[in-house]
Amino acid sequence: MKKVTKIKTQPNLQESRLRENFEMLDRIRDDTVNDIESLTKDFQHMTVVAESIRRNYRALLSENQLLKNTLLSIVEDCECWQSNRCDRCQKILKSLDNNNPDCPPNAAKEYRAILSQLRNLG
């Protein structure tokens, strides 16, 4: 009988590298898809949070307007005269005054400037 010799073939290095590169690219693509899915979930969560903040802010503005109207109606319904207000009405009007020292008059201008800068960034 003849002896069968086994020929060992050397692995093709170029083919091996190519396969390794494909495998690595597949892993990178899978990681990228996972990252995009995670980012999408983060954006969805931020959207929900922003919507909640918007609703709460609108409710706050509504309540603030209701409070101002209530205070002004108290002043209007008071027996005192416009040129000679009682202490209570003077306190109410002072709290509603924009020149209140607790809230400097430049606060609205500063807020508008900051808001316009933020809008310019987007």
Side-chain angles (χ1 to χ4, degrees):
M1 276 187 120
K2 292 184 174 179
K3 286 188 178 179
V4 178
T5 58
K6 294 183 180 179
I7 302 174
K8 290 187 177 180
T9 59
Q10 297 235 345
N12 187 340
L13 291 178
Q14 184 179 10
E15 184 179 334
S16 295
R17 286 185 197 145
L18 188 62
R19 288 183 188 276
E20 287 174 8
N21 285 342
F22 284 156
E23 289 173 5
M24 186 183 317
L25 287 173
D26 286 341
R27 285 194 306 266
I28 290 172
R29 288 181 181 125
D30 288 341
D31 288 345
T32 303
V33 168
N34 289 335
D35 290 345
I36 290 171
E37 288 173 357
S38 177
L39 190 61
T40 301
K41 289 177 185 176
D42 290 345
F43 282 137
Q44 289 171 345
H45 177 71
M46 286 190 300
T47 301
V48 169
V49 169
E51 258 320 290
S52 175
I53 291 170
R54 186 187 61 78
R55 278 192 312 273
N56 291 340
Y57 186 66
R58 283 187 188 232
L60 177 67
L61 290 177
S62 176
E63 290 293 321
N64 191 17
Q65 189 61 45
L66 181 63
L67 178 61
K68 285 179 183 180
N69 292 341
T70 303
L71 289 172
L72 286 175
S73 69
I74 290 171
V75 171
E76 289 173 1
D77 293 342
C78 186
E79 299 292 324
C80 66
W81 295 30
Q82 187 173 2
S83 60
N84 190 20
R85 293 287 183 196
C86 65
D87 289 339
R88 182 183 68 165
C89 289
Q90 285 180 4
K91 286 180 183 177
I92 291 172
L93 291 172
K94 185 177 180 184
S95 69
L96 293 172
D97 188 13
N98 285 337
N99 293 327
N100 193 345
D102 296 336
C103 181
N106 293 339
K109 289 180 184 177
E110 290 174 10
Y111 173 75
R112 279 190 216 117
I114 291 171
L115 192 60
S116 66
Q117 288 174 354
L118 289 173
R119 285 183 179 150
N120 289 337
L121 291 176

